[in-house]
C-alpha cells in the first residue's frame, strides 16, 4: 500500500517534529490533501497525501521526530469515515427528530442554508488547519472564536472558546496556569522546549563556539533622513498605493552599498573555502509569538525603496500568521536586526547562521551633540553595531563598513544616487 513519507524540506533541514495529525486512522483522504502538520527548525509545513483512499495506519505519533524520506503513514484503497461529514449528519438527524411538527422539506432547507452560511463564513476566517478540523468536529463557529483573537485562530483558541460560557470553569482554567511547585518557597514552571526554541538555542551556541565573533559600534545622526522621510512621506504613500516609507528601506539600501564596497562582509566560510556571494538577499529579523524569525528580502540591489518596504511588510505579516515558507528562510547573504523597536539602546547581535556579519539597529534617542567646536545641539542619534566573524573580516573592513552605513544615512541624497 502507498506510504506517506516526509518530503524534502530544504537543503539544511533533514528532520522535523509532528505537531499534529490533521487526519486520523480510518479517515478518507483525497490526493493532495494535508494529513499532518510538521514543525521544522524554521517554519511549520503541511504534509499531503499523494494518493486518495483511506488512512490505514499512522506510523508516528504527535511529538515524534521524523526524518526526510521516513514513512509516517499508510494510505489504502476504499472509502473511510469523515469526521466533519459524520458530525454534519449527526446534527441533521438531531434537527429532524426534534422538529416533528415542522415540514421535513422546510427544516432541511433551513438547516442547509444555515450550514452553508456558516461554512462560507468559516472559510473567510484566518485559521490553522488543525483549528478548522477541531472546530468542525466540535461544531464550533470559527467567526465567534475569531472575534476573541487578534491573530490567526489556532486550535487552543477554539478549545478555550468552549470553556468561556460557564463562569464556573474560569477558576479551573486559572488553576491550570499556576506553576508546579517542587518546593513551597521556590515555585517553578517546567515545560518542554519547542523544537524551534531548541534549534535556535543550538545554533546560537554553535555560532558562539565556531566563529571568532567581535562587535564594533558607531553612531548615526538621524536628522537628515528623518527630515527627508517627513517631507516625502505623504507623497510616497500616494505614489506607491499606500506603502509607507520607513527606516528599514534606507538601512537595507545602505547595507547593499556597503556590502558592494566591502565584499568580505557578504561572505561565509565553507570548510577550507571562503564563499563571497554576488547577490544581496537581506534578512530582516521579525519578532513573533514563537520567537525571532529571519525571512529574506531577495535581490535588494535590484529593488527600489517601495519594493523593499512592501516586501518587508509582507514577510512580517506572513511570519506573524505562521505562513512563511521554507524558501523565505534560507540562502540569505546578510541580516539586519532592529532591537530599537523594543527600546534597545545598544546590543551585540549574534551572527545569523553561516553568514559573516549582522547589522544591529537601535533606538533613536535625542542627545546633546557637539556640532562643531563652539556649538552643541540636541540631535536624534542611533547607535549601530556590526557583529562579524573575525576569521573572514578584519577590523579595518568592519569599521569601514559601519562608517559607510553612517555616511549614507546621514546623507540620504547620496544613498539615492547609490541605488
Amino acid at each position: 500500500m502507498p506510504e506517506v513519507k516526509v518530503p524534502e524540506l530544504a537543503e539544511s533541514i533533514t528532520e522535523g517534529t509532528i505537531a499534529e495529525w490533521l487526519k486520523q486512522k480510518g479517515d478518507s483522504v483525497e490526493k493532495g490533501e494535508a494529513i499532518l502538520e510538521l514543525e521544522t527548525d524554521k517554519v511549520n509545513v503541511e504534509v499531503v497525501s499523494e494518493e486518495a483512499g483511506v488512512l490505514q495506519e499512522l506510523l508516528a505519533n504527535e511529538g515524534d521526530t521524523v526524518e526526510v524520506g521516513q514513512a509516517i503513514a499508510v494510505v489504502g484503497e476504499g472509502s473511510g469515515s469523515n469526521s466533519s461529514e459524520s458530525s454534519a449528519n449527526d446534527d441533521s438527524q438531531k434537527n429532524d427528530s426534534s422538529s416533528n411538527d415542522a415540514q421535513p422539506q422546510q427544516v432541511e432547507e433551513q438547516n442547509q442554508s444555515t450550514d452553508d452560511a456558516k461554512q462560507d463564513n468559516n472559510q473567510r476566517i484566518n485559521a490553522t488547519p488543525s483549528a478548522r478540523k477541531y472546530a468542525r468536529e466540535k461544531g464550533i463557529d470559527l467567526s465567534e472564536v475569531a472575534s476573541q483573537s487578534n491573530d490567526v485562530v489556532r486550535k487552543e483558541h477554539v478549545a478555550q472558546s468552549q470553556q468561556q460560557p460557564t463562569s464556573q470553569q474560569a477558576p479551573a482554567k486559572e488553576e491550570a496556569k499556576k506553576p508546579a511547585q517542587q518546593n513551597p518557597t521556590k515555585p517553578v514552571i517546567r515545560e518542554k522546549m519547542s523544537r524551534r526554541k531548541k534549534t535556535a538555542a543550538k545554533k546560537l551556541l554553535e555560532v558562539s563556539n565556531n566563529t571568532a565573533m567581535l562587535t564594533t559600534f558607531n553612531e548615526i545622526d538621524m536628522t537628515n533622513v528623518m527630515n527627508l522621510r517627513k517631507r516625502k512621506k505623504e507623497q510616497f504613500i500616494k505614489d506607491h498605493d499606500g506603502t509607507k516609507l520607513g527606516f528599514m528601506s534606507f538601512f537595507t539600501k545602505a547595507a547593499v552599498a556597503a556590502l558592494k564596497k566591502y565584499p568580505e562582509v557578504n561572505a561565509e566560510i565553507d570548510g577550507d573555502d571562503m564563499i563571497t556571494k554576488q547577490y544581496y538577499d537581506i534578512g530582516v529579523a521579525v519578532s513573533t509569538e514563537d520567537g525571532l524569525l529571519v525571512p529574506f528580502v531577495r535581490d535588494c540591489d535590484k529593488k527600489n525603496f517601495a519594493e523593499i518596504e512592501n516586501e518587508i511588510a509582507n514577510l512580517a505579516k506572513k511570519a506573524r500568521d505562521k505562513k512563511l515558507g521554507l524558501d523565505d528562510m534560507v540562502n540569505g547573504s546578510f541580516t539586519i536586526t532592529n532591537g530599537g523597536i523594543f527600546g534597545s539602546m545598544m546590543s551585540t547581535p549574534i551572527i545569523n547562521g553561516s553568514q559573516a556579519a549582522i547589522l544591529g539597529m537601535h533606538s533613536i534617542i535625542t542627545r546633546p551633540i557637539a556640532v562643531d567646536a563652539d556649538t552643541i545641539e540636541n540631535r536624534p542619534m542611533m547607535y549601530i553595531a556590526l557583529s562579524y566573524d573575525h576569521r573572514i573580516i578584519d577590523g579595518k573592513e568592519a569599521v569601514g563598513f559601519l562608517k559607510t552605513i553612517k555616511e549614507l544615512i546621514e546623507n540620504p541624497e547620496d544613498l539615492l544616487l547609490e541605488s
Side-chain angles (χ1 to χ4, degrees):
M1 283 185 278
E3 295 178 330
V4 178
K5 297 182 178 181
V6 179
E8 293 289 337
L9 299 169
E11 184 178 351
S12 60
I13 299 178
T14 60
E15 62 181 20
T17 300
I18 296 179
E20 184 169 9
W21 283 101
L22 306 178
K23 290 283 187 176
Q24 298 300 322
K25 183 177 179 179
D27 284 353
S28 294
V29 177
E30 298 295 332
K31 183 177 181 180
E33 184 177 11
I35 64 171
L36 78 146
E37 192 172 351
L38 188 70
E39 183 183 15
T40 73
D41 298 347
K42 298 181 182 295
V43 295
N44 283 20
V45 295
E46 292 182 347
V47 177
V48 303
S49 173
E50 298 296 331
E51 303 289 338
V54 177
L55 197 58
Q56 299 281 10
E57 190 175 1
L58 305 184
L59 303 179
N61 299 316
E62 292 180 0
D64 287 354
T65 297
V66 291
E67 298 181 351
V68 170
Q70 178 179 335
I72 50 178
V74 177
V75 177
E77 296 180 354
S79 58
S81 63
N82 186 302
S83 57
S84 61
E85 290 178 0
S86 300
S87 177
N89 290 336
D90 291 344
D91 291 343
S92 177
Q93 292 173 3
K94 290 178 182 178
N95 288 335
D96 289 343
S97 62
S98 63
S99 55
N100 294 327
D101 294 336
Q103 293 294 329
Q105 178 90 20
Q106 181 181 4
V107 171
E108 183 177 352
E109 290 176 353
Q110 289 174 344
N111 288 339
Q112 184 64 39
S113 176
T114 301
D115 291 341
D116 289 345
K118 180 178 177 181
Q119 184 175 1
D120 289 343
N121 191 32
N122 284 347
Q123 289 299 322
R124 291 192 294 267
I125 302 301
N126 187 12
T128 62
S130 57
R132 293 186 186 280
K133 179 175 181 291
Y134 188 77
R136 288 196 303 270
E137 293 174 349
K138 301 299 182 181
I140 297 173
D141 189 349
L142 280 177
S143 63
E144 296 178 1
V145 182
S147 65
Q148 303 167 18
S149 172
N150 295 326
D151 200 356
V152 59
V153 176
R154 297 181 175 81
K155 182 179 177 182
E156 55 265 30
H157 296 146
V158 182
Q160 290 170 4
S161 71
Q162 291 183 290
Q163 302 176 0
Q164 289 175 357
T166 56
S167 60
Q168 291 83 356
Q169 291 176 333
K173 183 178 177 183
E174 292 299 320
E175 186 69 24
K177 289 184 177 181
K178 289 184 178 180
Q181 294 189 358
Q182 295 181 339
N183 184 314
T185 62
K186 303 290 184 182
V188 299
I189 297 176
R190 182 182 294 274
E191 57 184 343
K192 189 175 181 180
M193 291 177 66
S194 69
R195 178 181 185 85
R196 201 158 298 147
K197 283 188 177 296
K198 287 191 292 186
T199 300
K202 178 182 177 182
K203 289 188 173 181
L204 290 173
L205 188 60
E206 286 177 353
V207 169
S208 297
N209 292 337
N210 298 330
T211 63
M213 192 170 68
L214 296 177
T215 304
T216 187
F217 299 90
N218 211 319
E219 62 178 356
I220 298 177
D221 184 343
M222 299 290 288
T223 301
N224 291 336
V225 74
M226 291 176 72
N227 288 341
L228 175 61
R229 181 169 172 261
K230 185 177 180 180
R231 293 197 311 270
K232 301 294 185 180
K233 181 171 62 175
E234 297 301 326
Q235 189 61 45
F236 191 89
I237 291 174
K238 292 178 182 178
D239 292 343
H240 300 287
D241 298 324
T243 300
K244 296 180 179 179
L245 180 59
F247 291 122
M248 284 304 300
S249 54
F250 285 93
F251 277 90
T252 301
K253 297 299 283 187
V256 169
L259 289 170
K260 289 180 178 180
K261 189 174 181 180
Y262 298 96
E264 298 90 349
V265 185
N266 206 35
E268 67 176 64
I269 290 178
D270 183 18
D272 294 330
D273 299 329
M274 186 174 82
I275 301 173
T276 303
K277 299 165 186 175
Q278 301 296 301
Y279 58 90
Y280 304 91
D281 293 352
I282 307 299
V284 179
V286 178
S287 178
T288 72
E289 63 180 20
D290 293 330
L292 199 68
L293 298 177
V294 185
F296 292 94
V297 181
R298 307 296 179 183
D299 301 318
C300 290
D301 56 322
K302 301 174 184 177
K303 287 183 167 66
N304 60 31
F305 281 70
E307 290 170 333
I308 290 174
E309 290 290 354
N310 263 326
E311 188 67 16
I312 291 174
N314 291 337
L315 289 171
K317 186 177 187 305
K318 287 172 68 176
R320 289 190 294 268
D321 293 344
K322 294 189 174 182
K323 292 183 178 180
L324 283 174
L326 291 173
D327 290 343
D328 296 321
M329 305 281 289
V330 296
N331 299 327
S333 61
F334 184 74
T335 297
I336 301 174
T337 182
N338 184 6
I341 61 176
F342 304 112
S344 172
M345 184 178 178
M346 186 178 290
S347 66
T348 56
I350 298 179
I351 298 170
N352 183 23
S354 60
Q355 295 174 12
I358 181 172
L359 176 67
M361 299 165 55
H362 300 93
S363 294
I364 300 173
I365 299 175
T366 301
R367 294 187 279 116
I369 299 295
V371 178
D372 54 42
D374 301 316
T375 308
I376 294 178
E377 293 182 2
N378 287 331
R379 295 289 184 91
M381 304 298 295
M382 175 194 286
Y383 286 118
I384 54 173
L386 183 76
S387 292
Y388 61 99
D389 189 343
H390 203 4
R391 297 176 302 165
I392 303 176
I393 305 166
D394 291 333
K396 178 182 177 181
E397 282 74 30
V399 171
F401 181 92
L402 273 194
K403 189 168 180 286
T404 300
I405 298 284
K406 171 185 172 67
E407 290 171 348
L408 289 172
I409 297 297
E410 291 186 342
N411 300 278
E413 288 81 5
D414 293 344
L415 181 59
L416 294 173
L417 293 176
E418 283 281 348
S419 60

